[in-house]
Amino acid sequence: MPEALDKLIATLGRLPGIGRRSAERIAMAILRDPAGSGAELLGVLQNSLQQLIPCRTCGNITLRSQDPCVLCTDPRRDSRILCVVEEPLDILTMERAGVYRGRYHALMGKLSPMRGEGVRNLRVDELVSRIRKEGVAEVLLALNSDVESDATAAYLHEVLATQNVNVTRLARGLPAGSGLSYTDPITLTRALENRQTW
Amino acid sequence: MPEALDKLIATLGRLPGIGRRSAERIAMAILRDPAGSGAELLGVLQNSLQQLIPCRTCGNITLRSQDPCVLCTDPRRDSRILCVVEEPLDILTMERAGVYRGRYHALMGKLSPMRGEGVRNLRVDELVSRIRKEGVAEVLLALNSDVESDATAAYLHEVLATQNVNVTRLARGLPAGSGLSYTDPITLTRALENRQTW
């Protein structure tokens, strides 16, 4: 196999959700038709990297010419509540639900000793300074629910304890549309502990 | 969502095995770190498209500076047997098994009326002219086993009947490591029909 092909497959294989076999399929699909789908992907990628950046304030992907982004500058959004997420993708997910009307702050990662990612890699100083500057009353932690994310939440809780701010987090419980018999013990334990009067 | 982001997600979503949600994850992974993984992917893709092309003879992905490819020029490979596959990726799969020592010919597709792909889109004329020029004695059809691939095989069978060549195809039967009770009826029917004396 030519080295250039090997390198393309390896690079594609480092993208999220792409394994070795998928990377091979994609590389071949690009290279079998270099003037068609290959050139198209290259052009679109080049254009995206020229035009788009993470918002300097919240981390949401935005146009270079619109930084801070529309979510940070929309006067109808409530600046008193700040939703902390791990990644820009999470902002997209939150916005899709369409019920949150406050501001965002992406940490750009989580505490992960395994991958050598510590406190310095996270946008925590920026978070603290925003809380002061923007008059934030509530910080809503919307992190994932794995061990590393829980550690990140615990760390943020400690940092934010010194700030004059209310810290909340997303509820844990049964996901919508799920059957009770398919629910894992940890989810069920949390749903029980957090049971609500109805 | 900025139009450039929408377009990147749509383009990634047309790659094989990538759905809308995966495309979003990948787009965000590229754009959250534009100078890092974004620039790396762009560079590797650019380099690959400059250096690699489908081999003019067999369709295998090869260096622009090595066309025909190593498989077509290796004197130790048997030119009398020609393996016909649908895509360059299939050549990679065949080579990985490591038992085939003949030459290859990728059709670059299959008959697919649904997608408007007919005989003209396939490299069949090139196949016929190679059979004559290279003195091929056996054409081994190594196509997939779906309806469109079967139709392609039937069409090739007809075309090759006029050539002085032996046409074979890969055996159908139980895959290695599978349990009988997991086998679908069609596979089992073929395994029965093609049962071997042992």
Side-chain angles (χ1 to χ4, degrees), chain A residues 1-5 7-9 11-12 14-18 20-22 24-26 28-34 38-42 44-49 51-54 60-63 86-89 92 96 108-109, chain B residues 1-5 7-9 11-12 14-18 20-22 24-26 28-34 38-42 44-49 51-54 60-63 86-89 92 96 108-109:
Chain A
M1 188 184 286
E3 200 196 322
L5 178 55
K7 195 157 182 194
L8 178 60
I9 292 171
T11 307
L12 290 170
R14 280 194 293 276
L15 294 172
I18 309 281
R20 170 84 196 180
R21 287 290 183 276
S22 304
E24 286 176 1
R25 291 185 77 86
I26 295 169
M28 291 305 201
I30 292 167
L31 295 169
R32 82 187 274 285
D33 183 22
E40 190 198 0
L41 179 63
L42 183 65
V44 168
L45 188 59
Q46 215 155 17
N47 189 46
S48 308
L49 285 167
Q51 285 192 40
L52 300 166
I53 50 166
N60 181 34
I61 301 300
T62 186
L63 288 170
E86 292 170 21
E87 297 289 342
L89 180 64
L92 196 65
R96 190 171 283 138
M108 293 296 177
Chain B
M1 188 185 288
E3 199 196 324
L5 179 55
K7 194 158 183 195
L8 177 62
I9 293 171
T11 306
L12 291 169
R14 280 193 294 275
L15 294 172
I18 308 281
R20 170 84 196 181
R21 287 288 183 278
S22 303
E24 286 176 2
R25 289 185 78 85
I26 295 169
M28 292 305 203
I30 293 167
L31 296 168
R32 81 186 274 283
D33 183 21
E40 191 198 1
L41 178 63
L42 183 65
V44 169
L45 187 59
Q46 215 154 16
N47 189 47
S48 309
L49 285 166
Q51 286 192 41
L52 301 167
I53 50 166
N60 182 33
I61 300 302
T62 186
L63 287 170
E86 294 171 21
E87 297 287 341
L89 179 64
L92 196 64
R96 190 172 284 139
M108 295 295 179

Side-chain angles (χ1 to χ4, degrees), chain A:
Chain A
M1 188 184 286
E3 200 196 322
L5 178 55
D6 215 35
K7 195 157 182 194
L8 178 60
I9 292 171
T11 307
L12 290 170
R14 280 194 293 276
L15 294 172
I18 309 281
R20 170 84 196 180
R21 287 290 183 276
S22 304
E24 286 176 1
R25 291 185 77 86
I26 295 169
M28 291 305 201
I30 292 167
L31 295 169
R32 82 187 274 285
D33 183 22
S37 61
E40 190 198 0
L41 179 63
L42 183 65
V44 168
L45 188 59
Q46 215 155 17
N47 189 46
S48 308
L49 285 167
Q50 263 159 22
Q51 285 192 40
L52 300 166
I53 50 166
C55 167
R56 75 178 78 179
T57 305
C58 76
N60 181 34
I61 301 300
T62 186
L63 288 170
R64 205 176 278 276
S65 56
Q66 190 157 59
D67 182 22
C69 73
V70 286
L71 299 178
C72 288
T73 51
D74 184 344
R76 288 163 305 174
R77 296 191 79 108
D78 187 350
S79 293
R80 287 166 306 169
I81 172 164
L82 188 58
C83 175
V84 175
V85 295
E86 292 170 21
E87 297 289 342
L89 180 64
D90 301 322
I91 298 177
L92 196 65
T93 307
M94 287 288 293
E95 283 300 291
R96 190 171 283 138
V99 289
Y100 178 71
R101 301 299 300 164
R103 309 278 182 200
Y104 289 100
H105 189 86
L107 296 171
M108 293 296 177
K110 55 182 166 182
L111 293 179
S112 177
M114 292 274 285
R115 282 176 294 145
E117 283 178 13
V119 172
R120 279 166 303 115
N121 301 98
L122 303 181
R123 296 176 66 244
V124 175
D125 290 346
E126 292 89 335
L127 173 62
V128 171
S129 94
R130 282 187 70 185
I131 291 170
R132 290 178 184 163
K133 210 169 58 188
E134 299 175 19
V136 174
E138 178 182 345
V139 172
L140 165 59
L141 301 182
L143 307 186
N144 293 318
S145 63
D146 54 46
V147 176
E148 293 178 342
S149 298
D150 283 349
T152 309
Y155 169 73
L156 287 179
H157 199 84
E158 206 169 295
V159 169
L160 297 175
T162 63
Q163 305 298 316
N164 185 22
V165 74
N166 209 356
V167 181
T168 59
R169 65 171 183 169
L170 291 181
R172 307 295 172 90
L174 299 187
S178 79
L180 192 65
S181 60
Y182 294 107
T183 307
D184 66 279
I186 297 174
T187 299
L188 199 53
T189 303
R190 284 175 175 161
L192 258 169
E193 286 169 356
N194 300 322
R195 65 188 181 278
Q196 293 153 327
T197 311
W198 193 60

Side-chain angles (χ1 to χ4, degrees), chain B residues 3 5 11 39 56 77-78 93 95 116 118 127 153 162 169 172 181 184 197:
Chain B
E3 199 196 324
L5 179 55
T11 306
R56 75 178 80 178
R77 298 190 78 109
D78 187 350
T93 308
E95 283 301 292
L127 173 61
T162 63
R169 63 171 184 170
R172 308 295 173 87
S181 61
D184 66 279
T197 311

